[in-house]
Coordinates of all heavy atoms in Angstrom, one line a residue:
M19 N 0.9 -1.2 0.0 CA -0.1 0.0 0.1 C 0.9 1.1 0.0 O 1.8 1.4 0.8 CB -0.9 -0.1 1.3 CG -2.0 1.0 1.2 SD -3.0 1.0 2.8 CE -2.3 2.3 3.5
T20 N 0.6 2.2 -0.8 CA 1.3 3.5 -1.0 C 0.4 4.5 -0.3 O -0.6 4.7 -0.6 CB 1.6 3.7 -2.4 OG1 2.3 2.6 -3.0 CG2 2.4 5.0 -2.4
D21 N 1.1 5.2 0.6 CA 0.4 6.3 1.3 C 0.8 7.6 0.5 O 1.8 7.7 0.0 CB 0.9 6.5 2.7 CG 0.4 5.5 3.7 OD1 -0.8 5.1 3.5 OD2 1.1 5.2 4.7
E22 N -0.2 8.5 0.5 CA 0.0 9.7 -0.3 C -0.3 10.8 0.8 O -1.1 10.7 1.5 CB -1.1 9.9 -1.4 CG -0.7 8.9 -2.5 CD -1.6 9.1 -3.6 OE1 -2.3 10.1 -3.8 OE2 -1.8 8.1 -4.5
Y23 N 0.6 11.8 0.7 CA 0.6 12.9 1.7 C 0.3 14.2 0.9 O 0.8 14.6 -0.1 CB 1.9 13.0 2.4 CG 2.2 11.8 3.3 CD1 3.2 10.8 2.7 CD2 1.5 11.4 4.4 CE1 3.4 9.7 3.3 CE2 1.8 10.3 5.0 CZ 2.8 9.4 4.5 OH 3.0 8.2 5.2
I24 N -0.7 15.0 1.6 CA -1.1 16.1 1.1 C -0.2 17.2 1.7 O -0.2 17.3 3.0 CB -2.6 16.3 1.3 CG1 -3.4 15.3 0.6 CG2 -3.0 17.7 0.9 CD1 -4.8 15.2 1.0
S25 N 0.2 18.2 0.9 CA 1.0 19.3 1.5 C 0.1 20.4 1.8 O -0.7 20.9 1.1 CB 1.9 19.7 0.3 OG 2.5 21.1 0.6
R26 N 0.2 20.9 3.2 CA -0.6 21.8 3.7 C -0.3 23.1 3.0 O -1.3 23.9 2.5 CB -0.4 22.1 5.0 CG -1.2 22.9 5.8 CD -0.7 23.4 7.3 NE -0.2 22.2 8.0 CZ -1.0 21.4 8.8 NH1 -2.3 21.9 9.1 NH2 -0.6 20.4 9.5
E27 N 0.9 23.4 2.6 CA 1.3 24.6 2.0 C 0.7 24.7 0.5 O 0.3 25.7 0.2 CB 2.9 24.6 2.0 CG 3.5 25.9 1.7 CD 5.0 26.0 1.7 OE1 5.6 24.9 2.3 OE2 5.6 26.7 1.1
K28 N 0.8 23.5 -0.1 CA 0.4 23.5 -1.5 C -1.2 23.7 -1.7 O -1.6 24.5 -2.5 CB 0.8 22.2 -2.2 CG 2.3 22.1 -2.5 CD 2.6 21.5 -3.9 CE 4.1 21.6 -4.3 NZ 4.8 20.5 -3.7
T29 N -1.8 23.2 -0.7 CA -3.3 23.3 -0.7 C -3.7 24.7 -0.4 O -4.5 25.3 -1.1 CB -3.9 22.4 0.4 OG1 -3.5 21.2 0.2 CG2 -5.4 22.4 0.4
L30 N -2.9 25.4 0.5 CA -3.3 26.8 0.8 C -2.9 27.7 -0.4 O -3.6 28.6 -0.8 CB -2.5 27.3 2.0 CG -3.1 26.6 3.4 CD1 -2.2 27.0 4.5 CD2 -4.5 27.2 3.6
E31 N -1.8 27.3 -1.1 CA -1.4 28.1 -2.2 C -2.6 28.0 -3.4 O -2.8 29.1 -4.0 CB -0.1 27.4 -2.8 CG 1.1 28.2 -2.4 CD 2.5 27.5 -2.9 OE1 2.4 26.9 -4.0 OE2 3.4 27.6 -2.2
L32 N -3.0 26.8 -3.6 CA -4.1 26.7 -4.5 C -5.3 27.4 -4.2 O -5.8 28.0 -5.1 CB -4.4 25.0 -4.6 CG -5.5 24.6 -5.4 CD1 -5.1 24.8 -6.9 CD2 -6.1 23.2 -5.2
L33 N -5.6 27.5 -2.9 CA -6.8 28.1 -2.5 C -6.6 29.7 -2.8 O -7.5 30.3 -3.2 CB -7.1 27.8 -1.0 CG -7.6 26.5 -0.7 CD1 -7.6 26.2 0.7 CD2 -9.1 26.4 -1.3
K34 N -5.4 30.2 -2.5 CA -5.1 31.6 -2.6 C -5.2 31.9 -4.1 O -5.6 33.1 -4.5 CB -3.8 31.9 -2.2 CG -3.7 32.2 -0.7 CD -2.4 32.5 -0.1 CE -2.1 32.1 1.2 NZ -0.7 32.0 1.5
S35 N -4.9 30.8 -5.0 CA -4.9 31.3 -6.5 C -6.3 31.3 -7.1 O -6.5 31.9 -8.1 CB -4.1 30.1 -7.2 OG -4.8 29.0 -7.3
L36 N -7.3 30.8 -6.3 CA -8.7 30.9 -6.9 C -9.1 32.3 -6.4 O -9.2 32.7 -5.3 CB -9.5 29.8 -6.1 CG -9.1 28.3 -6.5 CD1 -9.9 27.5 -5.6 CD2 -9.3 28.0 -7.8
S37 N -9.7 33.0 -7.5 CA -10.1 34.3 -7.1 C -11.6 34.3 -6.7 O -12.4 33.3 -6.8 CB -10.1 35.2 -8.3 OG -11.0 34.7 -9.4
S38 N -12.1 35.4 -6.1 CA -13.5 35.5 -5.6 C -14.5 35.4 -6.8 O -15.5 34.9 -6.6 CB -13.6 36.6 -4.7 OG -13.5 37.9 -5.5
R39 N -14.0 35.8 -8.0 CA -14.9 35.8 -9.1 C -15.2 34.2 -9.4 O -16.3 33.9 -9.8 CB -14.3 36.4 -10.4 CG -15.2 36.6 -11.4 CD -14.5 37.1 -12.8 NE -13.8 38.4 -12.4 CZ -12.8 38.8 -13.3 NH1 -12.5 38.2 -14.3 NH2 -12.2 40.0 -12.9
D40 N -14.1 33.4 -9.3 CA -14.3 32.0 -9.6 C -15.3 31.5 -8.6 O -16.2 30.5 -8.9 CB -13.0 31.1 -9.4 CG -12.0 31.6 -10.4 OD1 -12.3 31.9 -11.5 OD2 -10.8 31.5 -10.2
Y41 N -15.3 31.9 -7.4 CA -16.2 31.4 -6.4 C -17.7 31.8 -6.8 O -18.6 31.1 -6.6 CB -15.9 31.9 -4.9 CG -14.7 31.4 -4.4 CD1 -13.8 32.1 -3.7 CD2 -14.3 30.0 -4.6 CE1 -12.8 31.7 -3.1 CE2 -13.2 29.6 -4.0 CZ -12.3 30.4 -3.3 OH -11.1 29.9 -2.7
R42 N -17.9 33.0 -7.2 CA -19.2 33.4 -7.6 C -19.8 32.7 -8.8 O -21.0 32.5 -8.9 CB -19.1 35.0 -7.8 CG -19.2 35.8 -6.5 CD -19.6 37.3 -6.7 NE -18.7 37.9 -7.6 CZ -17.6 38.6 -7.2 NH1 -17.3 38.7 -5.9 NH2 -16.7 39.2 -8.1
R43 N -18.9 32.5 -9.7 CA -19.2 31.8 -10.9 C -19.9 30.3 -10.7 O -20.9 30.0 -11.3 CB -18.2 31.7 -11.9 CG -18.6 31.8 -13.3 CD -17.4 31.7 -14.3 NE -16.5 32.8 -14.1 CZ -15.1 32.8 -14.4 NH1 -14.6 31.6 -14.9 NH2 -14.4 33.6 -14.3
K44 N -19.2 29.7 -9.8 CA -19.7 28.2 -9.5 C -20.3 28.2 -8.1 O -19.7 28.6 -7.1 CB -18.5 27.4 -9.5 CG -17.9 27.2 -11.0 CD -16.8 26.2 -10.8 CE -15.9 26.3 -12.1 NZ -14.7 25.5 -11.9
K45 N -21.6 27.9 -8.1 CA -22.2 27.8 -6.7 C -21.8 26.5 -6.0 O -21.4 25.6 -6.6 CB -23.9 27.6 -7.0 CG -24.5 28.9 -7.3 CD -26.0 28.8 -7.4 CE -26.7 30.0 -7.9 NZ -28.1 29.9 -8.0
G46 N -21.6 26.7 -4.7 CA -21.1 25.8 -3.9 C -19.6 25.6 -3.7 O -19.2 24.8 -2.9
T47 N -19.1 26.5 -4.4 CA -17.5 26.4 -4.4 C -16.9 26.9 -3.0 O -16.0 26.5 -2.6 CB -16.8 26.9 -5.6 OG1 -17.2 28.2 -5.8 CG2 -16.9 26.1 -6.8
I48 N -17.7 27.9 -2.6 CA -17.2 28.5 -1.2 C -17.2 27.4 -0.2 O -16.3 27.2 0.5 CB -18.0 29.7 -0.8 CG1 -17.7 30.9 -1.8 CG2 -17.8 30.2 0.5 CD1 -18.5 32.2 -1.7
Q49 N -18.4 26.6 -0.1 CA -18.5 25.6 0.9 C -17.3 24.7 0.6 O -16.6 24.1 1.5 CB -19.8 24.9 0.7 CG -20.9 25.6 1.4 CD -21.4 26.8 0.6 OE1 -21.1 27.0 -0.7 NE2 -22.2 27.8 1.2
D50 N -17.0 24.3 -0.6 CA -15.9 23.3 -1.1 C -14.6 24.0 -0.5 O -13.8 23.1 0.0 CB -15.8 23.1 -2.4 CG -17.1 22.3 -3.0 OD1 -17.8 21.6 -2.2 OD2 -17.4 22.4 -4.2
A51 N -14.4 25.2 -0.8 CA -13.1 25.9 -0.3 C -13.0 25.9 1.2 O -12.0 25.7 1.7 CB -13.1 27.3 -0.9
I52 N -14.1 26.1 1.9 CA -14.0 26.1 3.4 C -13.7 24.7 3.9 O -12.9 24.5 4.8 CB -15.5 26.6 3.9 CG1 -15.5 28.1 3.7 CG2 -15.4 26.2 5.5 CD1 -17.0 28.7 3.9
K53 N -14.2 23.8 3.3 CA -14.0 22.3 3.5 C -12.4 22.0 3.4 O -11.8 21.5 4.2 CB -14.7 21.3 2.8 CG -16.1 21.0 3.3 CD -16.6 19.8 2.6 CE -18.1 20.2 2.3 NZ -18.7 19.4 1.2
M54 N -12.0 22.5 2.2 CA -10.4 22.3 1.9 C -9.5 23.1 2.9 O -8.5 22.7 3.4 CB -10.1 22.8 0.4 CG -10.7 21.8 -0.6 SD -10.6 22.6 -2.2 CE -8.8 22.5 -2.5
I55 N -10.1 24.3 3.2 CA -9.2 25.2 4.2 C -9.2 24.4 5.5 O -8.1 24.3 6.2 CB -9.8 26.5 4.3 CG1 -9.5 27.4 3.0 CG2 -9.0 27.2 5.6 CD1 -10.3 28.7 2.9
S56 N -10.4 23.9 6.0 CA -10.4 23.4 7.2 C -9.6 22.0 7.3 O -8.7 21.7 8.2 CB -11.9 22.7 7.6 OG -12.8 23.8 7.5
Y57 N -9.6 21.3 6.0 CA -8.8 20.2 5.9 C -7.3 20.5 6.1 O -6.5 19.9 6.8 CB -9.1 19.5 4.7 CG -8.3 18.2 4.5 CD1 -8.8 16.9 4.9 CD2 -7.1 18.2 3.8 CE1 -8.2 15.6 4.9 CE2 -6.3 16.9 3.7 CZ -7.0 15.8 4.1 OH -6.1 14.6 4.1
A58 N -6.9 21.7 5.3 CA -5.5 21.9 5.3 C -5.0 22.4 6.5 O -3.8 22.2 6.9 CB -5.3 23.0 4.2
V59 N -5.9 23.2 7.3 CA -5.5 23.7 8.5 C -5.5 22.7 9.7 O -4.6 22.8 10.6 CB -6.3 25.0 8.9 CG1 -6.0 25.6 10.2 CG2 -6.0 26.1 7.9
Y60 N -6.5 21.8 9.9 CA -6.8 21.1 11.0 C -6.3 19.7 10.9 O -6.2 19.0 11.8 CB -8.2 21.1 11.4 CG -8.7 22.4 11.8 CD1 -9.6 23.1 11.0 CD2 -8.1 23.0 12.8 CE1 -9.9 24.5 11.3 CE2 -8.6 24.3 13.2 CZ -9.6 25.0 12.4 OH -9.8 26.2 12.7
T61 N -5.9 19.2 9.6 CA -5.4 17.9 9.6 C -4.0 17.9 10.2 O -3.1 18.6 9.7 CB -5.3 17.3 8.1 OG1 -6.7 17.5 7.6 CG2 -4.8 15.9 7.9
P62 N -3.8 17.0 11.1 CA -2.4 16.9 11.5 C -1.3 16.5 10.5 O -1.7 15.7 9.7 CB -2.5 15.9 12.8 CG -3.7 15.3 12.7 CD -4.5 15.9 11.6
A63 N -0.2 17.0 10.6 CA 0.9 16.8 9.7 C 1.2 15.2 9.9 O 1.2 14.6 10.9 CB 2.3 17.6 9.9
A64 N 1.4 14.4 8.7 CA 1.7 13.1 8.6 C 3.1 12.9 9.4 O 4.1 13.8 9.2 CB 1.7 12.4 7.4
D65 N 3.2 12.0 10.1 CA 4.5 11.5 10.7 C 5.4 10.8 9.8 O 5.6 9.7 9.9 CB 4.2 10.9 12.0 CG 5.5 10.7 12.9 OD1 6.4 11.4 12.8 OD2 5.5 9.8 13.8
V66 N 6.0 11.7 8.9 CA 6.9 10.9 7.8 C 8.3 11.4 8.0 O 8.6 12.7 8.5 CB 6.3 11.3 6.5 CG1 5.1 10.5 6.1 CG2 6.2 12.7 6.1
A67 N 9.3 10.6 7.9 CA 10.6 10.8 8.0 C 11.3 10.4 6.7 O 10.9 9.4 6.2 CB 11.2 10.3 9.2
P68 N 12.3 11.2 6.2 CA 12.9 10.6 5.0 C 13.7 9.3 5.4 O 14.1 9.1 6.5 CB 14.0 11.8 4.6 CG 14.1 12.6 5.9 CD 12.9 12.4 6.6
V69 N 13.7 8.5 4.4 CA 14.4 7.1 4.5 C 15.9 7.3 4.5 O 16.5 7.9 3.6 CB 14.1 6.1 3.4 CG1 14.8 4.9 3.6 CG2 12.5 5.9 3.6
R70 N 16.6 6.9 5.6 CA 18.0 6.8 5.6 C 18.5 5.7 4.9 O 17.9 4.6 5.0 CB 18.6 6.9 7.0 CG 18.2 8.1 7.9 CD 18.7 8.0 9.3 NE 20.2 8.1 9.4 CZ 20.8 8.3 10.4 NH1 20.2 8.2 11.5 NH2 22.1 8.5 10.4
H71 N 19.6 5.8 4.2 CA 20.3 4.6 3.4 C 21.6 4.4 4.1 O 22.3 5.4 4.3 CB 20.4 4.9 2.0 CG 19.0 5.0 1.4 ND1 18.2 4.0 0.8 CD2 18.2 6.1 0.9 CE1 17.0 4.4 0.4 NE2 17.1 5.8 0.4
G72 N 22.0 3.1 4.1 CA 23.2 2.8 4.6 C 23.7 1.5 4.2 O 23.1 0.8 3.4
R73 N 24.7 1.1 4.8 CA 25.2 -0.4 4.4 C 26.0 -0.9 5.7 O 26.5 -0.2 6.4 CB 26.1 -0.3 3.2 CG 27.4 0.5 3.5 CD 28.2 0.7 2.2 NE 29.2 1.7 2.5 CZ 30.5 1.3 3.0 NH1 30.7 0.0 3.2 NH2 31.4 2.3 3.3
W74 N 25.9 -2.2 5.8 CA 26.8 -2.9 6.8 C 28.2 -2.9 6.5 O 28.6 -3.3 5.3 CB 26.2 -4.3 7.0 CG 24.7 -4.3 7.6 CD1 23.7 -4.8 6.9 CD2 24.3 -3.9 8.9 NE1 22.7 -4.6 7.8 CE2 23.0 -4.1 8.9 CE3 25.1 -3.2 9.9 CZ2 22.3 -3.6 10.1 CZ3 24.2 -2.9 11.1 CH2 23.0 -3.1 11.2
I75 N 29.0 -2.6 7.4 CA 30.5 -2.8 7.2 C 30.8 -4.0 8.0 O 30.7 -4.1 9.2 CB 31.1 -1.5 7.7 CG1 30.7 -0.3 6.9 CG2 32.7 -1.6 7.7 CD1 30.9 1.1 7.6
Y76 N 31.4 -4.9 7.3 CA 31.8 -6.1 7.9 C 33.2 -6.2 8.6 O 34.1 -5.5 7.9 CB 31.7 -7.3 6.8 CG 32.2 -8.7 7.4 CD1 31.2 -9.4 8.4 CD2 33.3 -9.3 7.1 CE1 31.6 -10.6 8.8 CE2 33.7 -10.5 7.7 CZ 32.9 -11.1 8.6 OH 33.2 -12.4 9.1
H77 N 33.3 -6.6 9.8 CA 34.7 -6.6 10.5 C 35.1 -8.0 10.6 O 34.2 -8.9 10.7 CB 34.5 -5.9 11.7 CG 34.1 -4.4 11.6 ND1 35.0 -3.4 11.3 CD2 32.8 -3.9 11.6 CE1 34.2 -2.2 11.2 NE2 33.0 -2.6 11.4
D78 N 36.4 -8.2 10.6 CA 36.9 -9.7 10.7 C 36.5 -10.3 11.9 O 36.6 -11.6 11.9 CB 38.4 -9.5 10.8 CG 39.0 -9.0 9.4 OD1 38.4 -9.1 8.4 OD2 40.1 -8.5 9.4
D79 N 36.0 -9.7 13.0 CA 35.6 -10.5 14.2 C 34.2 -11.0 14.0 O 33.6 -11.4 15.0 CB 35.8 -9.7 15.4 CG 35.1 -8.3 15.4 OD1 34.5 -8.0 14.3 OD2 35.2 -7.5 16.4
G80 N 33.5 -10.7 12.9 CA 32.2 -11.3 12.6 C 31.1 -10.3 12.9 O 29.9 -10.5 12.9
V81 N 31.5 -9.0 13.2 CA 30.6 -8.0 13.6 C 30.3 -7.1 12.5 O 31.2 -6.8 11.6 CB 31.1 -7.2 14.8 CG1 30.2 -5.9 15.0 CG2 31.2 -8.1 16.0
F82 N 29.1 -6.6 12.2 CA 28.7 -5.7 11.3 C 28.3 -4.4 11.9 O 27.7 -4.4 12.9 CB 27.4 -6.1 10.5 CG 27.5 -7.4 9.7 CD1 27.4 -8.7 10.2 CD2 28.0 -7.4 8.4 CE1 27.4 -9.8 9.6 CE2 28.0 -8.5 7.6 CZ 27.9 -9.8 8.3
T83 N 28.9 -3.3 11.4 CA 28.5 -2.1 12.0 C 27.7 -1.2 10.9 O 28.1 -1.3 9.7 CB 29.8 -1.1 12.5 OG1 30.7 -1.2 11.4 CG2 30.3 -1.9 13.7
C84 N 26.9 -0.4 11.4 CA 26.1 0.4 10.5 C 27.0 1.6 10.0 O 27.5 2.2 10.9 CB 24.8 0.9 11.2 SG 23.9 2.3 10.4
S85 N 26.9 1.8 8.6 CA 27.6 3.0 8.1 C 27.1 4.3 8.6 O 27.7 5.3 8.5 CB 27.6 2.8 6.5 OG 26.3 3.1 6.1
E86 N 25.9 4.4 8.9 CA 25.2 5.6 9.4 C 25.3 6.1 10.8 O 25.5 7.2 11.2 CB 23.8 5.6 9.0 CG 23.4 5.3 7.5 CD 24.1 6.4 6.7 OE1 23.8 7.6 6.8 OE2 25.2 6.1 6.0
C87 N 25.3 5.0 11.8 CA 25.4 5.3 13.2 C 26.4 4.6 13.9 O 26.7 4.9 15.1 CB 23.9 5.1 13.8 SG 23.4 3.5 14.0
G88 N 26.9 3.6 13.2 CA 28.0 2.8 14.0 C 27.6 1.6 14.8 O 28.2 0.9 15.5
N89 N 26.2 1.5 14.9 CA 25.6 0.4 15.7 C 26.2 -1.0 15.2 O 26.3 -1.2 14.0 CB 24.1 0.5 15.5 CG 23.4 -0.8 16.1 OD1 23.7 -1.1 17.2 ND2 22.5 -1.3 15.4
A90 N 26.6 -1.7 16.1 CA 27.2 -3.1 15.9 C 26.2 -4.2 16.1 O 25.4 -4.3 16.9 CB 28.4 -3.4 16.9
E91 N 26.1 -5.0 15.0 CA 25.1 -6.2 15.0 C 25.9 -7.5 14.6 O 27.1 -7.4 14.0 CB 24.1 -6.0 14.0 CG 23.1 -4.7 14.3 CD 22.0 -5.1 15.3 OE1 21.9 -6.2 15.6 OE2 21.5 -4.0 15.7
S92 N 25.4 -8.7 15.0 CA 26.0 -9.8 14.7 C 25.6 -10.4 13.4 O 26.1 -11.4 12.8 CB 25.7 -10.9 15.8 OG 24.3 -11.0 16.0
N93 N 24.6 -9.8 12.8 CA 24.1 -10.2 11.4 C 23.7 -8.9 10.6 O 23.5 -7.9 11.1 CB 23.0 -11.3 11.4 CG 21.8 -10.9 12.3 OD1 21.6 -9.6 12.3 ND2 21.0 -11.8 12.7
D94 N 23.6 -9.1 9.3 CA 23.3 -8.1 8.3 C 21.9 -8.0 8.0 O 21.4 -8.7 7.1 CB 24.2 -8.1 7.1 CG 24.2 -9.4 6.4 OD1 23.7 -10.4 7.1 OD2 24.6 -9.4 5.3
S95 N 21.0 -7.4 8.7 CA 19.6 -7.3 8.5 C 19.3 -6.2 7.5 O 20.2 -5.5 7.1 CB 18.9 -7.1 9.8 OG 19.4 -5.9 10.5
Y96 N 18.0 -6.1 7.1 CA 17.6 -5.1 6.1 C 17.6 -3.7 6.5 O 17.8 -2.8 5.9 CB 16.3 -5.5 5.5 CG 16.1 -6.7 4.7 CD1 15.5 -7.9 5.1 CD2 16.8 -6.8 3.5 CE1 15.4 -9.0 4.4 CE2 16.8 -8.0 2.8 CZ 16.2 -9.1 3.1 OH 16.0 -10.2 2.4
Y97 N 17.4 -3.6 7.9 CA 17.5 -2.3 8.4 C 18.3 -2.2 9.6 O 18.5 -3.3 10.4 CB 16.1 -1.9 8.9 CG 15.0 -1.6 7.8 CD1 14.3 -2.6 7.2 CD2 15.0 -0.4 7.2 CE1 13.4 -2.5 6.1 CE2 14.2 -0.1 6.2 CZ 13.3 -1.2 5.7 OH 12.5 -0.9 4.5
C98 N 18.8 -1.0 10.0 CA 19.7 -0.9 11.3 C 18.6 -0.8 12.3 O 17.7 0.2 12.3 CB 20.5 0.2 11.2 SG 21.4 0.7 12.7
R99 N 18.7 -1.6 13.4 CA 17.8 -1.5 14.5 C 17.9 -0.3 15.3 O 16.9 0.2 16.1 CB 17.9 -2.7 15.4 CG 17.3 -4.0 14.9 CD 17.3 -5.1 15.9 NE 18.6 -5.6 16.3 CZ 18.7 -6.4 17.2 NH1 17.7 -6.8 18.0 NH2 20.0 -6.7 17.7
L100 N 19.0 0.5 15.3 CA 19.3 1.6 16.1 C 18.7 2.9 15.4 O 18.0 3.6 15.9 CB 20.7 1.8 16.4 CG 21.1 2.8 17.5 CD1 20.5 2.4 18.9 CD2 22.6 2.9 17.7
C101 N 19.3 3.2 14.1 CA 18.9 4.5 13.5 C 17.8 4.2 12.3 O 17.3 5.2 11.9 CB 20.1 5.0 12.9 SG 20.8 4.2 11.5
G102 N 17.6 3.0 12.1 CA 16.5 2.7 11.0 C 16.9 2.9 9.6 O 16.1 2.7 8.7
A103 N 18.2 3.0 9.4 CA 18.7 3.1 8.0 C 18.4 1.8 7.1 O 18.4 0.7 7.8 CB 20.3 3.3 8.0
K104 N 17.9 2.0 5.9 CA 17.7 0.8 5.1 C 19.0 0.4 4.5 O 19.8 1.2 3.8 CB 16.7 1.4 4.1 CG 16.2 0.3 3.1 CD 15.2 0.8 2.1 CE 14.7 -0.4 1.2 NZ 13.7 0.1 0.1
M105 N 19.3 -0.8 4.6 CA 20.6 -1.3 4.2 C 20.6 -1.9 2.7 O 20.5 -2.9 2.4 CB 21.1 -2.4 5.1 CG 21.3 -1.9 6.6 SD 22.2 -0.5 6.5 CE 22.8 -0.4 8.3
D106 N 20.4 -0.9 1.8 CA 20.4 -1.3 0.3 C 21.6 -0.9 -0.3 O 21.7 -0.8 -1.6 CB 19.3 -0.6 -0.3 CG 19.2 1.0 -0.1 OD1 20.1 1.5 0.4 OD2 18.1 1.5 -0.4
G107 N 22.7 -0.7 0.3 CA 24.1 -0.6 -0.1 C 24.5 0.7 -0.7 O 25.5 0.7 -1.5
V108 N 23.7 1.8 -0.6 CA 23.9 3.1 -1.2 C 24.9 3.7 -0.3 O 24.9 3.6 0.9 CB 22.6 3.9 -1.2 CG1 22.8 5.2 -1.8 CG2 21.6 3.1 -2.1
Ligands
LIG204 ZN1 22.3 2.8 12.2

């Protein structure tokens, strides 16, 4: 499933770009605009963080350390358990 995030800033920009003449021409658009404004202002920001990318650095003693935070692990998993970096070798 892919989540889509709506930008509060972009929504408000769009609303500002609509002139009052546009509102008068189409009945009901003011109510729509108010709904959109309410949505833009009152919807909490999504708790999203950019994905960190890293790689495991293998050491001769059998330990892997995260290239991003230095966390030491005994195996090379897909993500670093400490900093959450995705280990896709970038
Ligand atoms: Zn890490």
